[in-house]
Amino acid sequence: QVQLVESGGGLVQAGGSLRLSCVASGIIISINTMGWYRQAPGKARELVAEITGGGRTNYADAVKGRFTISRDNAKNTVYLQMNTLKPEDTGVYYCHVQRVLKHYWGQGTQVTVSS
């Protein structure tokens, strides 16, 4: 029983910051690769950032230097710190993990960045 619950989205002005949280249950995040994806209206869902069980991180070019993915293993929670937000960062952000060829997604949290 895997469950991912995101929170932290909202409406911010360009240049502002948000921190998204993903609380996981049914999995141990420290031994899995956790990812943040986003989907803008009319666009495909895209990988934003991921962190492996070993702590290696990977970022989309569009967010490098602005976003940071991290985890708190004691809380079984993954975070996405988003700084210097741009209007093009607007979208629904989803937490994701793949286990045994199955994909698990959170419900999504809306991030809207105004000009």
Side-chain angles (χ1 to χ4, degrees):
Q1 185 179 13
V2 177
Q3 186 175 10
L4 306 172
V5 180
E6 304 104 328
S7 62
L11 174 63
V12 297
Q13 286 188 290
S17 298
L18 287 172
R19 189 176 77 158
L20 307 183
S21 299
C22 172
V23 180
S25 60
I27 57 166
I28 302 173
I29 65 168
S30 63
I31 58 172
N32 288 281
T33 296
M34 307 297 299
W36 285 99
Y37 290 71
R38 68 187 180 190
Q39 187 166 22
K43 297 183 179 180
R45 190 171 298 184
E46 63 179 355
L47 177 68
V48 176
E50 62 183 2
I51 183 167
T52 71
R56 294 180 59 85
T57 58
N58 182 46
Y59 297 93
D61 288 342
V63 307
K64 286 180 179 177
R66 299 188 297 119
F67 290 12
T68 303
I69 188 170
S70 62
R71 66 189 181 204
D72 185 333
N73 293 335
K75 297 181 178 180
N76 215 38
T77 299
V78 181
Y79 302 97
L80 184 67
Q81 179 66 46
M82 306 186 295
N83 297 326
T84 320
L85 283 161
K86 303 175 180 180
E88 51 262 46
D89 295 319
T90 293
V92 179
Y93 283 68
Y94 299 91
C95 187
H96 169 268
V97 64
Q98 182 177 350
R99 296 284 294 125
V100 198
L101 301 181
K102 294 184 178 180
H103 295 266
Y104 299 92
W105 298 90
Q107 82 286 355
T109 185
Q110 177 71 44
V111 172
T112 303
V113 184
S114 62
S115 300

